[in-house]
């Protein structure tokens, strides 16, 4: 112990270098990719607010953006601005537009954070939130719920989201069991995830085949991903997961940077990678399952958003995880504007547009960054 | 114990009957070891002798039977032993200062971030190792020698009393090997660190280490000063090839035995 203390002293002593007296050393660690820059966060938050306003204003009955902003500011206690929206317009805003916009933001944030975390724990850039069978499990659950005519719902929870959530969690647990809970071997987990996903997909396809056409159509629209809301119900279902699980992922994001050195070195540095991986996968899975339960299978967001953030800012998960929440939210809300307006009055499944918009955009950013590198 | 050039008689770490098995294969078989504070102990032996496994087990990184204890009776952790890996994984987009900062992991609370103190320690380590100009460089672009220096910095930032080197220089050319080892030796002497190093090269080991531990099939064959351990008979037996030991300017040099001294049937056919 005395030796430890001596070491401590030695390190502190070394802060004033030999021969330079009391001259302070230039600080080296003040900058770098670990740093979540305030300016970048401010830009992302501004974009998010702009997208929310735009999304709330656009739709079948166009609302003026300024009026939308004023009416929303009026929600803050103590603020009372004159708004150009009449009560009918405000009802549209607060009961239809805003819930849907906020749901989009939450789903995008959830998938963005979960995707970033999965890429971190698996040290695999191709990882996405659906990796361990979340999508296949949720799909199977939803098909079963609809197939058994459970889509009536009870209380605040309707059957499809509940079944999808349970299906997703069961599938991930199955993946972990197949991998014999080997939290130390991401490759094993990943492969067992592939196997379990294939199994659940097959079961889902089989069950889908047994449904009549109307129900099958409903299942398919769910599978494509949609942001359909009835008031604030879906938002309230998802919000606790985003706060608790998303909060945990943000708090543990430093661990992901240690794990970039590989499990052996992470352990030598004093991190327990198996425990961190268990916690992060659990949180990311619950987050993804909750998002999928309310919005169906929205493709590509969980994969593309973390990459976008990585290419534009930093390779550090300290930056990627929180920014993926902000960028994912903006991306999702933006895409949803398209889903609602492109073929109005009909609607496109938002999951199709995320892939349509996300893939070329991603390719472009990838090309640009490769050229720059 | 006068022949034993151990610098102090204060224990840094004790191993008793340490055994590591994978299935029915035994990698380390009942090793007893007293590591003294301030010494450089080199762990030697042919490939597969269990050098790396022993090192990692002592650092608390593997399942084992028997005991590894620090002087106060605890099992060692990442705040006691820093491991310098054989092939460090250098992540893309990570700067030198960030990489070294990861050495502070064991000192951080679970959800905590690095404090000013952690940053200060990293800064001082970088200045000390002459890496200040490198601080913002990406680790990916570093040469082998530079990278190994950065790994030394990371281990120092870990502020442990023991440094465990896992064949840290096997990927480096001769010049850089010596530079890195001299750096470690210098730090050991200045900071009173204890060095435990799995090493391949017997001559280099004899030059840097106070004591040598020779392993074979997971067992300790010999332990002691270079003079005691570097016996041609012992080495030739352990490495299963005739070896000779010369003394050059007071230092031991281990060489393959001259070909003429080997069994004639070892010679390739057709050669005189």
């Amino acid at each position: 112990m005395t030796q430890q203390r001596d070491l401590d002293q030695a390190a502190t002593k070394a802060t004033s270098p030999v021969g330079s007296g009391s001259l302070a050393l230039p600080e080296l660690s003040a900058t770098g990719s670990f740093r979540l820059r305030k300016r970048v966060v401010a830009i992302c938050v501004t974009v998010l607010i702009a997208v929310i306003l735009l999304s709330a204003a656009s739709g079948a009955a166009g609302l003026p953006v300024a009026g939308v902003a004023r009416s929303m500011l009026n929600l803050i206690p103590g603020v009372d601005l004159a708004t150009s929206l009449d009560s009918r317009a405000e009802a549209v805003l607060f009961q239809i537009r805003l819930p849907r916009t906020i749901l989009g933001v939450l789903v995008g944030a959830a998938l963005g954070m979960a995707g970033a975390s999965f890429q971190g724990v698996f040290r695999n850039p191709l990882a996405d939130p659906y990796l361990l069978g979340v999508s296949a499990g949720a799909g199977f659950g939803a098909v079963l719920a609809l197939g058994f005519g459970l889509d009536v719902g009870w209380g605040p929870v309707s059957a499809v989201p509940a079944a999808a959530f349970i299906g997703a969690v069961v599938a991930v647990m199955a993946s972990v069991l197949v991998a014999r809970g080997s939290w130390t071997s991401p490759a094993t987990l990943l492969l067992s995830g592939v196997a379990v996903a294939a199994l659940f997909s097959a079961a889902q396809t089989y069950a889908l085949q047994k449904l009549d056409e109307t129900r099958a159509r409903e299942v398919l629209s769910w599978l494509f991903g949609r942001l359909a809301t009835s008031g604030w119900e879906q938002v309230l279902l998802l919000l606790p997961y985003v706060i608790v699980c998303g909060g945990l992922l943000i708090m543990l994001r430093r661990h992901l940077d240690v794990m970039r050195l590989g499990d052996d070195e992470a352990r030598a540095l004093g991190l327990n990678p198996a425990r961190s991986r268990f916690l992060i996968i659990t949180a990311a899975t619950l987050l993804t399952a909750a998002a999928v339960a309310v919005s169906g299978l929205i493709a590509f967001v969980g994969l593309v958003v973390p990459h976008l953030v990585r290419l534009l800012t930093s390779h550090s998960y300290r930056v990627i995880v929180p920014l993926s929440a902000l960028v994912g939210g903006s991306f999702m809300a933006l895409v949803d504007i398209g889903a609602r307006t492109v073929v109005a009055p009909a609607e496109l499944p938002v999951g199709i547009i995320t892939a349509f918009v996300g893939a070329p955009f991603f390719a472009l950013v990838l090309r640009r960054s490769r050229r720059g590198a | 114990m006068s022949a034993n050039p151990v610098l102090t008689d204060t224990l840094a770490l004790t191993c008793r009957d340490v055994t590591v098995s994978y299935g029915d294969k035994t990698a380390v078989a009942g090793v007893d070891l007293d590591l003294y504070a301030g010494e450089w102990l080199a762990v030697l032996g042919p490939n597969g002798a269990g050098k790396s496994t022993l090192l990692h087990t002592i650092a608390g990184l593997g399942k084992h039977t028997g005991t590894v204890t620090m002087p106060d009776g605890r099992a060692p952790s990442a705040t006691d032993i820093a491991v310098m890996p054989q092939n460090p994984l250098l992540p893309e987009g990570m700067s030198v200062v960030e990489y070294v900062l990861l050495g502070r992991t064991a000192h951080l609370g679970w959800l905590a971030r690095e404090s000013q103190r952690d940053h200060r320690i990293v800064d001082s380590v970088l200045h000390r190792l002459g890496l200040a100009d490198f601080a913002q460089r990406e680790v990916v672009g570093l040469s082998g020698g530079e990278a190994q220096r950065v790994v030394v910095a990371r281990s120092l930032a870990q502020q442990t009393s023991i440094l465990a080197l896992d064949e840290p220089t096997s990927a480096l050319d001769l010049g850089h090997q010596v530079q890195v080892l001299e750096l470690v030796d210098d730090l050991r002497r200045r900071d009173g660190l204890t060095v435990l190093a799995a090493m391949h090269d017997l001559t280099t080991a004899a030059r840097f280490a106070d004591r040598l531990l020779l392993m074979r099939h997971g067992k300790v064959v010999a332990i002691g000063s270079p003079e005691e351990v570097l016996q041609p008979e012992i080495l030739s037996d352990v490495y299963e090839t005739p070896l000779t030991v010369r003394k050059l300017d007071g230092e031991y040099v281990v060489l393959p035995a001259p070909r003429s001294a080997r069994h004639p049937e070892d010679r390739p056919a057709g050669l005189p």
Side-chain angles (χ1 to χ4, degrees), chain A:
Chain A
M1 281 315 278
T2 52
Q3 197 163 19
Q4 184 62 46
R5 191 154 12 93
D6 290 344
L7 270 178
D8 259 26
Q9 282 167 354
T12 328
K13 236 184 283 164
T15 314
S16 49
V18 193
S20 71
S22 62
L23 222 135
L25 289 170
E27 270 185 39
L28 302 171
S29 41
T31 56
S33 71
F34 279 10
R35 207 135 187 249
L36 187 56
R37 287 166 207 282
K38 287 197 185 76
R39 200 166 45 117
V40 176
V41 175
I43 292 172
C44 289
V45 170
T46 311
V47 169
L48 180 61
I49 291 172
V51 170
I52 289 174
L53 285 178
L54 189 66
S55 166
S58 47
L63 303 175
V65 174
V68 167
R70 282 161 178 269
S71 289
M72 279 165 63
L73 283 174
N74 281 344
L75 291 180
I76 303 168
V79 177
D80 190 17
L81 298 166
T83 172
S84 57
L85 301 187
D86 56 23
S87 59
R88 217 184 121 264
E90 284 214 328
V92 169
L93 174 62
F94 289 121
Q95 292 311 314
I96 299 172
R97 296 281 171 76
L98 218 44
R100 176 157 180 162
T101 301
I102 299 299
L103 184 69
V105 170
L106 290 181
V107 167
L111 294 177
M113 280 190 287
S117 304
F118 268 100
Q119 287 173 8
V121 284
F122 287 105
R123 279 195 294 279
N124 189 328
L126 290 177
D128 80 351
Y130 301 151
L131 193 71
L132 292 181
V134 168
S135 54
F140 183 58
V143 173
L144 280 190
L146 286 163
F148 285 112
L150 289 173
D151 48 336
V152 283
W154 63 93
V157 185
S158 50
V160 175
F165 185 87
I166 293 169
V169 172
V170 166
V172 174
M173 281 165 60
S175 298
V176 171
L177 279 179
V178 170
R180 295 206 204 154
S182 67
W183 299 103
T184 48
S185 163
T188 313
L189 261 179
L190 204 143
L191 288 173
S192 72
V194 170
V196 168
L199 191 69
F200 273 84
S201 291
Q204 174 197 313
T205 311
Y206 177 76
L208 194 60
Q209 226 186 10
K210 297 281 165 194
L211 295 184
D212 66 55
E213 203 171 309
T214 341
R215 284 186 188 284
R217 198 174 280 278
E218 212 173 321
V219 173
L220 279 178
S221 107
W222 184 89
L223 287 178
F224 289 148
R226 55 175 186 192
L227 287 172
T229 50
S230 48
W232 291 93
E233 186 191 300
Q234 284 81 5
V235 170
L236 292 177
L237 275 175
L238 181 54
L239 190 61
Y241 289 93
V242 173
I243 292 172
V244 175
C245 298
L248 189 67
L249 291 180
I250 286 182
M251 284 194 290
L252 291 176
R253 69 197 198 276
R254 183 175 61 79
H255 296 207
L256 292 175
D257 274 339
V258 184
M259 285 157 100
R260 285 164 75 197
L261 301 183
D263 274 25
D264 288 345
E265 284 190 57
R267 283 199 307 143
L269 288 172
L271 186 83
N272 183 339
R275 191 174 55 181
S276 299
R277 186 171 286 123
F278 166 74
L279 276 173
I280 290 168
I281 287 179
T282 304
T285 296
L286 291 175
L287 191 59
T288 310
V292 167
V294 295
S295 69
L297 301 176
I298 292 173
F300 225 58
V301 177
L303 174 68
V304 166
V305 167
H307 273 293
L308 203 62
V309 173
R310 186 179 289 118
L311 291 173
L312 294 176
T313 60
S314 156
H315 278 75
S316 165
Y317 285 99
R318 302 178 194 225
V319 176
I320 296 174
V321 175
L323 286 189
S324 290
L326 293 173
V327 173
S330 304
F331 179 72
M332 202 61 217
L334 197 63
V335 165
D336 187 45
I337 298 176
R340 281 182 288 142
T341 53
V342 168
V343 291
E347 228 183 75
L348 283 173
V350 73
I352 292 178
I353 307 198
T354 53
F356 246 115
V357 176
F361 186 49
F362 182 55
L364 198 76
V365 176
L366 197 67
R367 276 178 60 98
R368 277 183 60 109
S369 83
R370 283 284 174 263
R371 206 178 302 149

